[in-house]
Amino acid sequence: MKIIITGANGQLGSELKDVLLKDSSKECFFLDRKQLPLDQPILIQDILDIYQPDVIIHAGAYTAVDLAESESALADIVNHQATDEIAQYCKINDVKLIAISTDYVFDGNSDCSLKEDAEVDPVNVYGLTKLKGEQAIQRWLPDGIIIRTSWVYSTYGKNFVKTMIKLMTDRDEISVINDQIGSPTYAYDLAKAIAIIIDSDWLGGIYHYSNEGEISWYDFALAIRELKGLECKVNAIPTTSYPTPAKRPCYSLLDKSKIKRTYDLNIPTWKESLAIMLNKEEV
């Protein structure tokens, strides 16, 4: 089986290397932004054709949420137009596609965990461009798999966990938002889930994946402090006290029932996975 992974140097792409390269039955091609320039959609299908893949895992994206507000054209090219080209290629060449999307396709006004058929209404440019990418996949490739995830972190790359550790190490006191609710996703867990999906009977559609549990960013920060044994004081603040260029959904907890049922997945709790990631960081 030949597999292309886009976004090779991102958090999920890096974790997919650790997972997929252990399987000698798979020939994997990890393509970074130089090898597959998602900002140049016109080149994408010809590049993909060089590899003749059986499966594409599309993990590459424009993920600078705040910067997307001022770089909306570039965010649309990478998250929407490039995804459209990848979906077209998969349709023409009978290639299976797993594409990663986001909880930011929702407006955050729900009061219960979000199922895959919940109404979408992005509140920022990033979320809108990711939704357009989803729609392109559904238009060209109804049998494609879209996995929406949230609050991704990893031993690789930049993320909330690493930022909190640095801030809590350098400062005596920090403030963290306590009124945005969701659940973190350890990218290694998502990578393992994707590997299981590839080896299972293919059932296309939209799926939700994050670790189990419901927390705020403040709760997440407290757990990081506890597990790292740090002394920094952490203050809870509302979103209104920390304005950002891009609005965030206030509530984006994902319901994982469908992916657990379909692919018989056992999803760890967020704190269990956080502890595993932090132990890896210390090695």
Side-chain angles (χ1 to χ4, degrees):
M1 182 188 292
K2 289 185 178 181
I3 304 174
I4 283 178
I5 300 90
T6 72
N9 296 328
Q11 294 185 93
L12 180 57
S14 298
E15 298 285 9
L16 282 164
K17 285 179 189 173
D18 289 349
V19 172
L20 295 177
L21 292 180
K22 296 174 183 175
D23 187 346
S24 59
S25 69
K26 295 177 175 64
E27 186 177 6
C28 296
F29 303 97
F30 290 87
L31 306 184
D32 61 23
R33 65 184 63 183
K34 291 181 181 178
Q35 295 159 314
L36 186 70
L38 297 176
D39 59 349
Q40 300 179 62
I42 195 170
L43 303 178
I44 286 174
Q45 293 201 45
D46 287 340
I47 293 171
L48 294 176
D49 209 39
I50 294 169
Y51 297 91
Q52 297 287 302
D54 301 297
V55 179
I56 295 175
I57 303 171
H58 183 32
Y62 180 110
T63 57
V65 176
D66 287 321
L67 196 56
E69 296 296 309
S70 58
E71 292 187 349
S72 58
L74 177 58
D76 186 77
I77 289 169
V78 174
N79 291 344
H80 167 213
Q81 297 175 40
T83 301
D84 189 287
E85 291 294 325
I86 291 170
Q88 283 189 55
Y89 176 84
C90 290
K91 172 68 173 179
I92 294 165
N93 296 281
D94 194 25
V95 174
K96 292 177 178 176
L97 175 63
I98 298 176
I100 307 304
S101 191
T102 174
D103 60 318
Y104 280 24
V105 299
F106 298 111
D107 63 12
N109 294 327
S110 176
D111 56 4
C112 60
S113 58
L114 294 152
K115 293 184 180 292
E116 288 78 1
D117 59 358
E119 184 178 353
V120 290
D121 186 18
V123 294
N124 57 44
V125 169
Y126 166 72
L128 178 60
T129 61
K130 292 295 287 183
L131 176 59
K132 287 181 176 178
E134 287 188 10
Q135 292 167 340
I137 293 167
Q138 292 173 309
R139 184 168 59 250
W140 289 107
L141 202 67
D143 196 39
I145 289 176
I146 297 166
I147 301 177
R148 294 179 183 144
T149 190
S150 62
W151 300 18
V152 177
Y153 70 95
S154 165
T155 53
Y156 301 99
K158 297 178 181 179
N159 53 65
F160 181 83
V161 176
K162 290 185 176 182
T163 298
M164 287 297 103
I165 292 171
K166 185 175 190 319
L167 289 176
M168 286 190 271
T169 301
D170 294 345
R171 301 181 186 179
D172 296 326
E173 186 173 346
I174 63 170
S175 297
V176 182
I177 290 169
N178 70 343
D179 58 357
Q180 292 176 21
I181 306 300
S183 185
T185 303
Y186 180 26
Y188 182 71
D189 291 337
L190 178 54
K192 289 192 294 182
I194 289 170
I196 289 170
I197 290 170
I198 290 171
D199 288 334
S200 302
D201 292 336
W202 191 268
L203 290 167
I206 297 175
Y207 295 90
H208 287 173
Y209 187 98
S210 68
N211 285 114
E212 296 282 22
E214 177 178 345
I215 60 169
S216 67
W217 290 110
Y218 172 72
D219 298 324
F220 200 17
L222 290 182
I224 294 164
R225 184 184 68 176
E226 174 195 340
L227 290 168
K228 289 294 291 183
L230 298 169
E231 300 295 330
C232 179
K233 181 181 180 183
V234 182
N235 302 308
I237 60 168
T239 299
T240 52
S241 295
Y242 189 73
T244 55
K247 185 179 178 183
R248 265 69 169 175
C250 292
Y251 187 94
S252 58
L253 182 67
L254 301 174
D255 185 306
K256 279 81 70 173
S257 302
K258 181 181 176 183
I259 199 167
K260 289 193 291 185
R261 180 178 66 249
T262 304
Y263 291 105
D264 194 26
L265 294 181
N266 179 25
I267 302 178
T269 65
W270 67 267
K271 196 165 187 180
E272 180 184 352
S273 289
L274 175 62
I276 291 170
M277 178 269 191
L278 292 176
N279 285 334
K280 281 188 180 179
E281 278 286 285
E282 292 169 359
V283 173

